[in-house]
Structures are given as structure tokens and as C-alpha cells.
Amino acid sequence: MFQGASSLNLDAKGRMSIPARHRDALNVQCEGRITLTRHPDGCLLLFPRPTWESHREQIAAWPIQARDWKRIFLGNAFDVEMDSAGRILVAPELRNAVGMQRDVMLLGMGSHFEIWDAGKLAENEAKAIAGGAPDVLNNFSF
């Protein structure tokens, strides 16, 4: 299970280093084979390849009414591999699609990660807090 936030930087070539605490798990789980794709919320999704392959099969089976969503998820999917230094290349098409600059945040979301432009994530979180908790969380407490 992936969790936690990591503040990272993209290098001049668009590469991002996977934090060591996740790198080891990804090497064991999928031998460093990863899939990146776009999410309509304005971030990227990072999946260990076996997890992505399960999602890919489900997405491919969606009915024709969902073809635009198929394009978002499948049409923007890039298979990448971690290099020996634990870096992955974030394709320029993906970076441009979500407005990703140098400073990024990697968020563990259980079975996968979200990758956000740091400024965009801060804006989204501020809006979410200002809007209050959704009704579905009314009975949730720590």
C-alpha cells in the first residue's frame, strides 16, 4: 500500500526520482515497470504495471458511451521503467497535458500514486477545504 506525500523536482529532461521508500516496493512488485497516464482532475496517475494491466482491461471493456474517457485514460498511457538511479521519464505530452512544471508532489493513494504540479495541488486542496467536507464524510471521525 502506497501512502504519503513526497515533494520532488523534475530535472531538465523531465525525469523524476522515485523516493527510496517506494522504489524498493516498486522493484519487488513490478521490477520497476510502471505506467503513467492522465487523470481528468489535472494530475497524472502512476501505476505498477500489473495493477495498470488490470485497470486497462476494465477500461477497454467500457461501452461506446464512455469512449471519451477511454481516450483520456488509455490514449494517454505511457509505459516507463525506472532507471538504475530510480528515476522515471515523464513524457512531455503528459507534462504539458496537466501543466506540470519543475516542482511536483507524489502522493501515495493505496494501489497507485498521483503526481501533481505542486502549485496546482495546493490550489486544489485550498478549494476543497474552503468548500467543506462532502456529505459522504459526515460519519467519519479519527
Side-chain angles (χ1 to χ4, degrees):
M1 167 131 343
F2 302 112
Q3 65 182 21
S6 300
S7 178
L8 305 169
N9 295 312
L10 294 176
D11 68 14
K13 295 180 180 179
R15 294 175 301 191
M16 176 183 93
S17 291
I18 302 294
R21 70 178 187 267
H22 299 307
R23 187 180 315 150
D24 295 339
L26 287 169
N27 276 323
V28 168
Q29 187 176 353
C30 61
E31 299 171 342
R33 297 176 317 129
I34 294 166
T35 299
L36 297 173
T37 194
R38 183 177 168 196
H39 192 281
D41 284 349
C43 67
L44 300 179
L45 300 174
L46 183 156
F47 290 95
R49 187 80 45 78
T51 304
W52 169 250
E53 288 170 352
S54 172
H55 288 295
R56 182 181 63 201
E57 295 301 319
Q58 292 174 23
I59 294 166
W62 288 351
I64 195 162
Q65 296 89 340
R67 68 182 169 267
D68 291 335
W69 290 96
K70 278 183 171 182
R71 286 187 195 106
I72 291 170
F73 294 115
L74 296 180
N76 287 286
F78 283 81
D79 291 337
V80 298
E81 293 192 19
M82 280 193 296
D83 66 14
S84 60
R87 297 174 301 194
I88 59 167
L89 176 64
V90 181
E93 294 88 350
L94 290 176
R95 294 192 314 263
N96 292 335
V98 298
M100 192 170 287
Q101 302 297 316
R102 184 176 188 273
D103 298 325
V104 298
M105 292 294 295
L106 178 73
L107 304 176
M109 300 299 292
S111 65
H112 65 283
F113 296 90
E114 291 181 352
I115 307 170
W116 286 86
D117 175 79
K120 192 173 201 177
L121 176 62
E123 288 175 21
N124 283 6
E125 288 180 348
K127 285 179 190 174
I129 292 168
D135 290 342
V136 72
L137 298 182
N138 285 344
N139 295 323
F140 179 78
S141 176
F142 283 103

